[in-house]
């Protein structure tokens, strides 16, 4: 009988370890940028080719390395951060395990140049498949440059799992954003295939947020700052009107390290209770600073999940700090002199904040929850359902809108003529009643229109393109770098669906044409909302890129609840709905109509 257990060769062990640390180009970007931050850099440049598949290079002006350190940094578990087990519980640096460069060297061809300030010459090292191929002196600026080429060149199976360049670029931008956000005092640049996507000058946190997330947040940020003996919280949250349907603009940092925490996100959501719709997500960039002994960062390979010594205390402080900031914003609004003059004339700013209004706000549960003692852990129970009040309001006449204001619905399908003679009625500008046999159907107009558009777009995507209407005055659209990457990825499919969009310089696009039923002047808004909807659907991995796009367009272009429809438009909507292959369900699985039969109604009214 022979032995069955044996040691793996180093090259295989290194590649297995690399799988935990380097899963895609974005993983390497994160590790290299964090190393550059730990080196004390004030400027960090990220250079890519083919979204990191061909080249990832990080150049910094940090402390640099000696010849021995430069050679040692590629060994497994080689680190300058830990000398004893006790050091593991006092970590304040970004990296500490000493696995990043060893893992990168196991799956890429690496070139390193490094020099310390006091050295006459630097050191140049080439590593391939964990083996040092060359080492020699070199003239190089103070700092370090690491270039990794041909990621997974020696593991073709893993290279095949990489997504398109546009998809990989989105992951890289996410990691770049997280590191750049947490160190606003450092200059960062990102260049891909010779085109600079980001140039972030060193500055304040607010400036960095606006650089990364868009100028629309310029006047819509609320400062959060609370300091206690146990922990400090600082950063910004968005005013309630900035809440979106996606979680994208949400960042937590603990001791400057980006983390994901559904628990702390719940704390922030509770602070916004009754301020935003239940299906919306507030923007926040929050930094928690506390003693490293109170947090364990060594519980996940990417360090994005951490463990607090006392989660309840942290939850309470986060919730209270955000509540306090929002309450101050609500009770004592301040004029921002950078606001546009036209905004200053709005009634919400011009109206005086009377004692009556102040008393009403001060007596709210939100204000009391923070100002009264022993309320940090208090979470209000959801209110019990109340009986319907003001029932007569349902029967008040609804204001008519002009024919031009109503949404344009698609031509009727000749297969569905049975609704031409029936009497229809619109209720609450959101539902349409349709007589049927021994009862009636209640149709949800937005869900129904989403189903109609979804099936039309699916047909167009697999066949003849939707005709595009050329714009007499093309619109220029300027996006954040992250959204520009998404739009570039979507452009070929958008063209098939009737949108003609062309790149026009750095993060700028020109909308040359749109489908005929898109109202002129709304093109920019539609693309903005489309990208937001696409990010929302991107959270569900089971959808293909085209499916996400079509669902986003259907939701964006559908007639919304609260829109008054003429009788002709109601009839058109019902006719088109029941011409669909699956008329009873919207694309996201919600019913498009409910059916009420006579016997059901009679049972409902029996005592």
């Amino acid at each position: 009988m022979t032995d069955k257990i044996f040691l793996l060769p180093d090259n295989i062990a290194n590649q297995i370890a690399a799988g935990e640390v380097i899963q895609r180009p974005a993983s390497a970007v994160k590790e290299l940028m964090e190393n550059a931050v730990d080196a004390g850099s004030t400027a960090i440049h990220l250079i890519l080719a083919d979204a990191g598949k061909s080249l990832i290079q990080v150049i910094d002006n940090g402390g640099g390395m000696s010849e021995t350190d430069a050679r040692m940094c590629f060994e497994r578990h080689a680190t300058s951060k830990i000398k004893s087990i006790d050091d593991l519980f006092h970590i304040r640096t970004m990296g500490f395990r000493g696995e990043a460069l060893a893992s990168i060297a196991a799956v890429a061809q690496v070139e390193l140049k490094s020099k310390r300030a006091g050295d006459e010459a630097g050191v140049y090292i080439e590593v391939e498949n964990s083996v040092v191929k060359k080492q020699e002196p070199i003239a190089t600026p103070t700092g370090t440059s690491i270039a990794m080429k041909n990621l997974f060149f020696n593991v073709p199976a893993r290279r095949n799992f990489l997504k398109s360049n546009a998809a990989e670029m989105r992951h890289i931008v996410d990691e770049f954003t997280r590191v750049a956000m947490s160190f606003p005092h450092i200059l960062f640049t990102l260049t891909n295939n010779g085109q600079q996507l980001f140039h972030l000058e060193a500055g304040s946190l607010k400036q960095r947020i606006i650089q990364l997330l868009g100028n629309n947040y310029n006047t819509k940020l609320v400062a959060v700052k609370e300091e206690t003996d146990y922990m400090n919280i600082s950063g910004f949250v968005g005013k309630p009107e900035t809440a979106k349907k996606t979680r994208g603009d949400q960042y937590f940092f603990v001791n400057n390290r980006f983390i994901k925490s559904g628990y702390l996100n719940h704390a922030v959501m509770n602070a916004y209770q009754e301020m935003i719709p239940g299906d919306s997500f507030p923007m926040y960039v929050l930094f928690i600073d506390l003693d490293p002994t109170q947090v364990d960062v060594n519980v996940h390979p990417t360090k994005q999940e951490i463990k607090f010594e006392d989660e309840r205390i942290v939850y309470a402080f986060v919730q209270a700090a955000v509540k306090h900031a929002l309450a101050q914003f609500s009770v004592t609004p301040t004029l921002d002199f950078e606001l546009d003059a036209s905004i200053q004339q709005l009634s919400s700013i011009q109206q005086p904040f009377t004692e009556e209004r102040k008393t009403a706000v001060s007596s709210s549960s939100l204000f009391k929850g923070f100002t009264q003692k022993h309320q940090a852990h208090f979470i209000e129970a959801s209110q019990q359902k109340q009986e319907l009040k003001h029932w007569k309001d349902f029967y008040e006449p609804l204001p008519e809108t002009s024919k031009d204001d109503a949404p344009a619905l698609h031509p009727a399908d000749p297969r569905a003529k049975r609704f031409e003679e029936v009497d229809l009625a619109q209720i609450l500008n959101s539902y349409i009643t349709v007589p049927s046999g021994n009862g009636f159907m209640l149709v949800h107009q937005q869900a129904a229109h989403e189903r109609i558009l979804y099936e039309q777009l699916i047909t167009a995507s697999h066949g003849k393109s939707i005709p595009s209407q050329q714009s007499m005055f093309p619109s220029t659209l300027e996006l954040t770098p992250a959204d520009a990457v998404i739009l570039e990825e979507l452009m070929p499919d958008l063209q098939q669906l009737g949108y003609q969009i062309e790149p026009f310089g750095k993060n700028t696009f020109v909308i040359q044409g749109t489908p005929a039923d898109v109202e002129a002047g709304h093109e920019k808004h539609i693309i903005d909302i489309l990208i937001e909807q696409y990010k929302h659907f991107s959270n569900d991995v089971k959808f293909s890129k085209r499916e996400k796009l079509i669902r986003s367009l259907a939701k964006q272009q559908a007639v919304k609840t609260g829109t008054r429809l003429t009788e002709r438009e109601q009839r058109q909507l019902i006719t088109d709905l029941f011409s669909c292959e699956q008329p009873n369900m919207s694309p996201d699985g919600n019913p498009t109509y409910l059916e009420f039969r006579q016997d059901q109604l009679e049972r409902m009214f029996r005592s």
Side-chain angles (χ1 to χ4, degrees), residues 310-323:
D310 191 332
E311 286 188 323
R312 290 175 301 173
I313 290 179
V314 178
Y315 182 102
F317 276 135
V318 169
Q319 182 179 353
V322 176
K323 269 190 176 185

Side-chain angles (χ1 to χ4, degrees), residues 413-456:
D413 188 310
R415 293 178 297 166
K417 294 183 177 180
R418 64 184 183 276
F419 297 106
E420 288 182 357
E421 304 300 327
V422 298
D423 292 323
L424 305 177
Q426 189 182 25
I427 300 174
L428 300 175
N429 284 354
S430 301
Y431 306 93
I432 301 170
T433 59
V434 184
S436 66
N438 63 342
F440 69 93
M441 291 180 291
L442 191 64
V443 178
H444 190 292
Q445 66 188 39
Q446 181 172 340
H449 200 200
E450 282 181 29
R451 165 53 62 180
I452 295 164
L453 292 171
Y454 175 78
E455 293 201 4
Q456 290 173 344

Side-chain angles (χ1 to χ4, degrees), residues 457-466 496 546:
L457 291 167
I458 284 285
T459 302
S461 70
H462 294 296
K464 188 178 179 182
S465 302
I466 291 178
Q496 180 80 7
R546 182 167 289 190

Side-chain angles (χ1 to χ4, degrees), residues 212-227:
L212 289 167
L213 302 185
N215 199 51
N216 55 311
Y217 284 119
N218 191 20
T219 58
K220 297 183 178 178
L221 295 176
V222 179
V224 177
K225 190 170 181 63
E226 299 289 342
E227 296 183 356

Side-chain angles (χ1 to χ4, degrees), residues 294-464:
Q294 299 298 315
V295 58
D296 185 359
V297 298
N298 195 31
V299 297
H300 191 270
T302 65
K303 311 185 196 80
Q304 288 186 3
E305 295 175 17
I306 64 173
K307 197 173 181 181
F308 293 102
E309 183 74 17
D310 191 332
E311 286 188 323
R312 290 175 301 173
I313 290 179
V314 178
Y315 182 102
F317 276 135
V318 169
Q319 182 179 353
V322 176
K323 269 190 176 185
H324 189 199
L326 291 172
Q328 285 187 319
F329 157 69
S330 301
V331 175
T332 55
T334 58
L335 283 182
D336 189 333
F337 291 100
E338 295 178 6
L339 283 175
D340 186 83
S342 61
I343 297 177
Q344 299 284 4
Q345 304 305 315
L346 292 176
S347 59
S348 56
I349 292 177
Q350 291 293 314
Q351 289 173 356
F353 194 70
T354 62
E355 284 299 318
E356 266 185 56
R357 292 177 64 197
K358 185 173 182 179
T359 303
V361 174
S362 300
S363 62
S364 69
S365 59
L366 175 65
F367 186 84
K368 287 181 178 178
F370 185 81
T371 55
Q372 293 179 1
K373 291 183 179 180
H374 312 301
Q375 295 292 305
H377 287 77
F378 179 71
I379 304 173
E380 286 188 359
S382 59
Q383 293 181 347
Q384 296 180 346
K385 292 183 178 178
Q386 297 181 356
E387 293 185 4
L388 189 64
K389 296 179 179 178
H390 310 300
W391 58 271
K392 289 184 180 179
D393 293 348
F394 281 90
Y395 298 96
E396 290 181 0
L398 296 166
E400 290 286 344
T401 58
S402 71
K403 183 177 176 182
D404 293 334
D405 291 337
L409 302 176
H410 289 271
D413 188 310
R415 293 178 297 166
K417 294 183 177 180
R418 64 184 183 276
F419 297 106
E420 288 182 357
E421 304 300 327
V422 298
D423 292 323
L424 305 177
Q426 189 182 25
I427 300 174
L428 300 175
N429 284 354
S430 301
Y431 306 93
I432 301 170
T433 59
V434 184
S436 66
N438 63 342
F440 69 93
M441 291 180 291
L442 191 64
V443 178
H444 190 292
Q445 66 188 39
Q446 181 172 340
H449 200 200
E450 282 181 29
R451 165 53 62 180
I452 295 164
L453 292 171
Y454 175 78
E455 293 201 4
Q456 290 173 344
L457 291 167
I458 284 285
T459 302
S461 70
H462 294 296
K464 188 178 179 182

Side-chain angles (χ1 to χ4, degrees), residues 50-209:
D50 299 326
K53 295 176 183 176
S54 300
L55 171 70
I56 299 173
Q57 184 175 12
V58 172
I59 303 171
D60 69 60
N61 64 349
M65 289 184 281
S66 68
E67 186 177 343
T68 305
D69 286 346
R71 181 72 178 253
M72 280 291 293
C73 71
F74 292 105
E75 299 295 327
R76 292 283 307 281
H77 305 303
T79 178
S80 61
K81 318 293 174 53
I82 298 174
K83 291 184 174 62
S84 68
I85 193 67
D86 190 53
D87 292 341
L88 189 61
F89 302 100
H90 295 83
I91 293 294
R92 281 199 175 271
T93 52
M94 302 299 287
F96 57 87
R97 295 187 190 130
E99 287 184 313
L101 292 181
S103 296
I104 288 171
V107 291
Q109 298 160 328
V110 181
E111 294 179 4
L112 178 144
K113 301 174 185 176
S114 190
K115 175 181 170 293
R116 296 179 300 183
D119 295 339
E120 291 184 4
V123 59
Y124 172 79
I125 295 178
E126 281 184 19
V127 184
E128 183 177 306
N129 205 11
S130 298
V131 178
V132 176
K133 297 290 187 180
K134 183 188 288 188
Q135 179 174 342
E136 60 188 24
I138 189 174
T140 186
T142 299
T144 301
S145 166
I146 298 184
M148 54 175 291
K149 302 177 181 178
N150 303 320
L151 182 62
F152 300 138
F153 78 100
N154 54 349
V155 197
R158 284 178 58 189
R159 190 174 178 89
N160 291 339
F161 275 99
L162 296 179
K163 305 297 184 185
S164 67
N165 283 3
E168 293 298 340
M169 196 64 205
R170 276 196 287 133
H171 289 286
I172 289 172
V173 168
D174 284 345
E175 295 292 355
F176 178 88
T177 298
R178 291 164 183 171
V179 177
M181 189 83 78
S182 55
F183 297 98
H185 62 279
I186 299 176
L187 179 149
F188 288 93
T189 66
L190 190 164
T191 303
N192 183 46
N193 293 338
Q195 180 183 359
Q196 189 174 83
L197 302 181
F198 289 89
H199 183 94
L200 310 176
E201 291 286 350
S204 67
L205 176 60
K206 183 176 182 180
Q207 289 170 330
R208 182 59 52 91
I209 290 172

